[in-house]
Amino acid sequence: MPRSTPASRTAVGALAMSMSLAMLTAPAAVSATPVVTKDAAQTQAADRGQKASETTGVQMPQSYPFQPQLKTFPYNADDKSYAANLVGYANLAPRLTALMAKSDRVSTQIVGTSTSGRDLYLVTLTAPEKKHQTKAQTRWRELIQNRPAKAAKDKRLAADYKTPIWFSANIHGNEWEGTDASLQYLEELATSKSPEVAELLQNHRLYFSLTLNPDGRVAATRATALGYDPNRDMITNTLPESRSFVQTTQALLPIYSADLHGYTGVLQVEPTGPPHGENYEYDLFIPHNYAAALHIEKDVVAADISGNPLTPAGGIKIPYRDTPSGWDDYPPIFTAQYAAFFGALTSTVELPLGRTREGVMDPKSAAINVAVAKQVLRSTVDYVSANSDEILANQIEFFRRGVAGEPKVSLTEDNIAAVTGPDQWKPLWDVADNQDAVHLPRAYVIPAGVDQRSASDANALVKQLLFHGIEVGELRAPKTVDGTTYAAGSYVIDMHQPKKGLANALLDLGTDISAKVPSMYDISAWSYSYLWGATVDKVGDISDAPIRAVRSIDAPVRQAAAPKKAQHLTFEVAGLADYRALNDLLGQDATTWLLPTGQAVIAPQDRAKAVNAAYEHDVALRPSTKAEMSAIAAGSAKELEEVTVGYVGNQEALSSLQELGFDPVKVDAAAINDSPTVLDDLDVLWVSSELSFTSEQQAGRDALKDWLADGNALVGAGSNALAAASGFGLVSAVGQAGPRRSNGIVAVDTPADSLLAPHAQDYAFVYPPLSFTELGAGTKAEQFYAEGNPLLAGHWRGDGAAAPEAAGGKASVISGQSADGGKAVVFGTSVFFRNHPKGGIGQVGQAIFWAAPDGS
């Protein structure tokens, strides 16, 4: 069907505004409708799609409606949603089932499961489509992304493509109301008899992710059941919830994506203030995004929702206009900032009224927030549907620039006059808004062979890039680029590709933006190339000829190999998979040594165990050399046994230690004091949270002191680890912390005799940085911040001893040993931060095996 005209689309918004305020604020009734069994084939397809989603992405329906039987979850009286008369998680499936029974406009998919196993729902609202119609929509969506120049000329696409608009909610579990507003809005449109609504759904697909964090919704926690904030995990993807969001973004390719949050006192709608992400095509992003925010503001003010607070100026807060710094779109770790790399206009919507002191919502406040959120949904659909032709054209242009490999044109004061589209944003743009210039290479190359620090980390990085839809190739033969010859098997990320901006945002170093703005909302650096343990080279210029002899891959090339002969076998212990393999072997009591140069050697009688571990963890085994055997004979290699690690820390400590292959045991001062025998089965204690004993806990302190004297070790990070290691006489040093919010990628130097020298890394992440001075006798600097200003990218402002230059040349990692024989390693870098710096996690593995007691 031909697209509706802007005028007719605007009528949808007028219709929405006419709905009564009573309808907007009425609490959603809990449906008692039993689950209706739908077509069994659709249910089986949904189950297959759910199982496949983690590996192949979200499986989209072949026609609409798609109405499988939904799993029902038992009523949970402890669901904190009920405290505010909001929809409990267990009520979502019955409500959706009842709605599907009423309307052929409604489809529901399961696009993943939460940490605790709750289904993640994606609801589609659109006019019914037959298989050939859905197939055409899919073909056009792929054309937009992969052949955008052709898509721009496709008249059928221009006339019939149903532009996708996506709303998500409740990624922070204790920010509830976006779910209820979405569900109520869905129910209204699904059953509406209005011709304007019918026309809307002929021309668009409206998507709703009702709750991105159902575990947090039930428990009234911001974090997921794993203890992580999912809206900081869009590029690390530790969580199933964030993995689902990424895959849903890829599947939908929305032209507009809004994520509903709370609570900021007054309604807040993006776009953001500076600094702006350097890799966004901001000239395609800011004009309509700001105009949409202004449209929402006008409608919310006109709706005059009782109890909804406005700014002193009588409007809502739009960070681009109202927040000079501290609410930016710089890191791609958030939902909205991630989706923008798919050519979408995006917004994080913050609802106004906050929680009670008990951490739940007051029903009256919740009803006001629901009303405000529904108005935002209506106004967004009104604006985007009225301007969808132009917004879609911008999305196509976004991908065209990527495929063509055009140099990045950063938006600045000098070139904003030439930007077309709505221009309300232009008078507000100033020097702080200017995007920093970005040099786009022709490619990023991940070397194979001797030039690669860690083959296992390299493969993990490639797998991560492919997960994000980044195109990766493999050299079929050696190739010289910029004077460096890369071995066959090296990976190539050519920057002529649709997701050029995302690829560069993930792989490039970034910028030191300390002087640009006084404060940042969150992290200011995040590079895979510098923080994930693999060697990655930035080669050439975007305008160069392509690198030839590259074949496209859809998975990293497996490294696993093993000699057939029964003999001592060796593998490099450099990356996270290597540590998992090592811990696997030690868990099977395989006779294993760790060489001072960073290789593990396995005795011939354990060959079968070694081969199984190599293929399980994708590690290459080779015959041990004479020099390696001589090192074992001379006693310079450390014989290992299984290492049991306890930890005093949070979820990121647990996850990171698990990623190394350990099975960590959580302890604290109280646990040690109450049951000192908890230490008996531990070899190493990781410390990143406070470990201090009160005067009433002297027994615990004495037990820990005795345990360290038995040759056990303390390894940790930050001031808490320094305090613990110093308190037990393991190290002697003074720590100097940078400002609390300072963070970024720093250059580090590793001495040749350092425990970190095998497979040394040149970069680390800090948040905040901690440097060490006044090292006492027996305390050794294992790593240093680079001389001068070590900050390469990020935001670190401070004076005197807190300045980055003051940390230059100071120790960033120290080790020590007490007179009794206990060992310690203390990191001043943030090696476990949100499970992101994979290279830092690997360094912890080095420290643990260095510090652990020798095997038998």
Side-chain angles (χ1 to χ4, degrees), residues 143 147-159 396 400:
L143 199 67
R147 302 182 67 188
K150 183 175 181 180
K153 300 175 183 178
D154 192 316
K155 294 181 179 178
R156 285 288 304 278
L157 185 157
I396 293 171
R400 187 202 66 77

Side-chain angles (χ1 to χ4, degrees), residues 401-414:
R401 294 177 185 180
V403 171
E406 293 186 354
K408 177 71 176 68
V409 177
S410 298
L411 198 62
T412 70
E413 290 176 300
D414 296 333

Side-chain angles (χ1 to χ4, degrees), residues 229-271:
D229 184 335
N231 202 38
R232 304 292 186 275
D233 192 47
M234 290 305 143
I235 63 169
T236 307
N237 309 118
T238 299
L239 306 172
E241 293 87 351
S242 73
R243 293 195 292 272
S244 174
F245 183 90
V246 165
Q247 292 176 321
T248 304
T249 306
Q250 295 167 348
L252 303 188
L253 210 67
I255 64 169
Y256 190 97
S257 174
D259 193 24
L260 278 67
H261 288 247
Y263 305 100
T264 50
V266 295
L267 174 66
Q268 180 171 290
V269 178
E270 290 179 356

